[in-house]
Amino acid sequence: MYKKILKTLFTFGIVFSLAIMYISSKVPDNLYINYGQDINIGSIPIVTFKPKEKEAPSRQIQTNNEPLLYSADFLGVFPMKEVVINQTEQRYVSVSGKPFGIKMFCDGVMVVGFSDILTSTGYQNPAKLAGLKIGDIILSMNDENVQTNEDVEKIIKSSKNIPIKISYLHDDEQRTTLLTTVRDVNIDNYRSGMWVRDSGAGIGTMTFYDCSLGFFAGLGHGIKDVDTHKELRLLSGEIVPVKITGLVKSKNGSAGRLKGSFTSSTANGKVLYNGETGVYGKAYSFEKEILMPVATPAEIKTGPAYILTTINGTSPQKYKIEIEKVNLTSKDPIKNMVIRITDPQLLSLTGGILRGFSGSPIIQNDKLVGAVTHVFVNQVDRGYGIFAYNMLNTMDAIAAKQSKKVA
């Protein structure tokens, strides 16, 4: 009898310890809250916070930037880990949900493919032989900067069989190599055996504007080359007005997409950054209709929310969703939430999340909590979202960098 009780208690102890370890792993080492905000995590309500210093208030009423050390406790009783509490000002942004077009020109040209060349001695590929890979960025050829396909073509055609010195980036590491072109017997001209791309264009959804900074933030993920799936290295770019003209519905196994057309060649803003968390830049005009506070990640809960997105014309509409998962410790800065479309009308019209929804604002409890970033191809009513807080931090860094340039 006693052995059975001891065995049960031992098993319970192991399960309980594992549960605490799991929950502790979901609590971040640093938690960001707004001044005056209760210290808790909306998505993990069974965790409470207790100040490590007795004089530290349990509710923040301070207005300084001093980080505070707290104990994260399971059910308010069992200490799990120490957490640094960082206090910030509540930020407000103008929420969008409208479609926008992006035109981008690369800093250098990207290698997007290879094609073997028929020579008098058989098939050859000089670019591969030189060590170039798909996704590499060619910066210069014979010490001349190259920024367009035409720049590359001109140097290749004039080189004949004289080696070309190429400076390029491979996974952000700068390298040099020599490429010797060969004569293509089919066209009687010299070729390199590589295909390159110097620009990109597409449509997405604007997430928000910060009117005080004069900046915009959209997409929630970087613009990638359609062939290499690597982020385009930005030289210059602009955003232009777009009208949604149609769509291809999503179905499990095949993500659909929005169709749109540029309605004007006049730019609405200048793209200054294309990176992991989205597209950012200086706005020439602002939307001020929906001013909303930005939620800290700690405020976000699993449960009902809605997105603002446009599936026809230029006006966004509200559609119901469910936030199924909130991950405060994700190493991927753009996969912070799992969302599911629950709005019957949107599911009927689109089948689920579409390519082009990226950047659609996610709203919960009258706060901007994030933006749609990805669709689950095999379950198209579900996808990932990024914290709006992450996008705002990226925007602040870009704005500060631009401010230093002006100064």
Side-chain angles (χ1 to χ4, degrees):
M1 179 69 177
Y2 290 111
K3 287 183 179 180
K4 191 174 182 180
I5 293 174
L6 289 173
K7 185 178 180 181
T8 301
L9 290 174
F10 180 73
T11 303
F12 175 79
I14 291 176
V15 172
F16 187 75
S17 298
L18 290 173
I20 288 181
M21 289 173 61
Y22 174 77
I23 295 168
S24 177
S25 71
K26 299 299 178 183
V27 177
D29 295 328
N30 284 269
L31 196 66
Y32 293 85
I33 66 169
N34 293 319
Y35 295 125
Q37 177 184 328
D38 285 327
I39 303 176
N40 54 44
I41 298 177
S43 57
I44 319 177
I46 56 177
V47 175
T48 61
F49 292 87
K50 204 182 301 178
K52 294 291 287 184
E53 299 176 11
K54 291 182 180 180
E55 63 270 20
S58 60
R59 178 178 173 88
Q60 300 307 302
I61 57 174
Q62 298 171 309
T63 55
N64 57 51
N65 292 320
E66 287 285 329
L68 301 169
L69 190 62
Y70 273 65
S71 170
D73 299 344
F74 178 60
L75 298 175
V77 178
F78 304 97
M80 296 187 301
K81 65 189 297 184
E82 291 183 349
V83 175
V84 177
I85 305 296
N86 302 276
Q87 304 169 99
T88 61
E89 293 282 358
Q90 176 69 73
R91 295 283 293 277
Y92 290 81
V93 296
S94 182
V95 178
S96 180
K98 292 184 178 180
F100 72 109
I102 309 140
K103 297 178 180 178
M104 285 182 52
F105 297 93
C106 301
D107 185 8
V109 297
M110 179 179 285
V111 179
V112 296
F114 297 105
S115 178
D116 292 345
I117 301 162
L118 180 59
T119 71
S120 59
T121 58
Y123 283 97
Q124 297 183 43
N125 194 299
K128 283 185 178 179
L129 191 62
L132 293 172
K133 307 290 184 184
I134 288 178
D136 287 348
I137 307 289
I138 298 176
L139 303 174
S140 67
M141 302 175 74
N142 288 337
D143 297 322
E144 291 184 36
N145 291 337
V146 291
Q147 295 176 350
T148 67
N149 298 346
E150 289 76 17
D151 291 341
V152 174
E153 185 179 12
K154 180 181 177 182
I155 294 172
I156 286 172
K157 284 185 176 180
S158 64
S159 70
K160 299 189 177 181
N161 61 350
I162 300 173
I164 301 170
K165 178 186 175 184
I166 293 181
S167 176
Y168 67 102
L169 290 175
H170 177 80
D171 292 337
D172 292 327
E173 177 189 348
Q174 187 156 344
R175 300 178 178 181
T176 58
T177 188
L178 292 177
L179 185 155
T180 304
T181 59
V182 294
R183 183 184 289 274
D184 188 330
V185 297
N186 290 320
I187 61 173
D188 193 28
N189 213 332
Y190 286 89
R191 295 177 61 195
S192 66
M194 65 180 175
W195 297 97
V196 296
R197 181 170 292 135
D198 61 9
S199 60
I203 63 171
T205 302
M206 185 64 68
T207 309
F208 63 85
Y209 295 85
D210 188 311
C211 301
S212 62
L213 294 175
F215 276 67
F216 65 82
L219 287 186
H221 61 70
I223 300 173
K224 298 185 178 182
D225 179 78
V226 67
D227 294 309
T228 65
H229 304 295
K230 292 192 175 184
E231 287 169 6
L232 296 176
R233 183 181 169 91
L234 178 68
L235 174 65
S236 64
E238 60 186 21
I239 60 171
V240 294
V242 159
K243 179 180 180 180
I244 301 301
T245 57
L247 59 86
V248 176
K249 289 183 70 171
S250 284
K251 57 183 179 180
N252 289 341
S254 176
R257 61 186 175 87
L258 290 174
K259 297 179 180 180
S261 59
F262 295 176
T263 59
S264 172
S265 59
T266 303
N268 284 341
K270 180 181 181 182
V271 179
L272 297 174
Y273 180 77
N274 172 47
E276 193 172 24
T277 64
V279 175
Y280 304 82
K282 192 72 176 176
Y284 300 153
S285 58
F286 304 97
E287 299 169 19
K288 301 180 181 179
E289 295 89 357
I290 311 175
L291 195 65
M292 194 172 285
V294 176
T296 61
E299 295 177 87
I300 305 169
K301 303 177 181 179
T302 54
Y306 69 86
I307 61 171
L308 283 171
T309 199
T310 307
I311 60 173
N312 184 44
T314 59
S315 299
Q317 302 294 325
K318 293 182 180 180
Y319 298 103
K320 296 176 183 177
I321 68 165
E322 186 85 5
I323 298 177
E324 294 189 328
K325 184 178 180 181
V326 180
N327 191 340
L328 300 178
T329 57
S330 173
K331 293 181 180 179
D332 191 327
I334 66 174
K335 295 179 179 178
N336 308 129
M337 295 176 281
V338 174
I339 65 167
R340 179 170 56 88
I341 305 294
T342 57
D343 196 288
Q345 182 186 12
L346 187 61
L347 288 171
S348 174
L349 293 170
T350 67
I353 298 172
L354 303 177
R355 292 189 174 100
F357 276 18
S358 294
S360 297
I362 302 172
I363 315 296
Q364 187 181 62
N365 296 328
D366 297 321
K367 288 191 173 187
L368 175 66
V369 300
V372 179
T373 58
H374 293 81
V375 57
F376 294 169
V377 176
N378 293 320
Q379 198 174 354
V380 293
D381 62 334
R382 300 172 73 235
Y384 284 118
I386 182 177
F387 293 146
Y389 196 82
N390 289 358
M391 296 180 72
L392 193 60
N393 284 341
T394 303
M395 174 185 280
D396 286 343
I398 297 163
K401 188 175 181 180
Q402 288 296 309
S403 180
K404 286 182 180 179
K405 285 184 179 180
V406 172

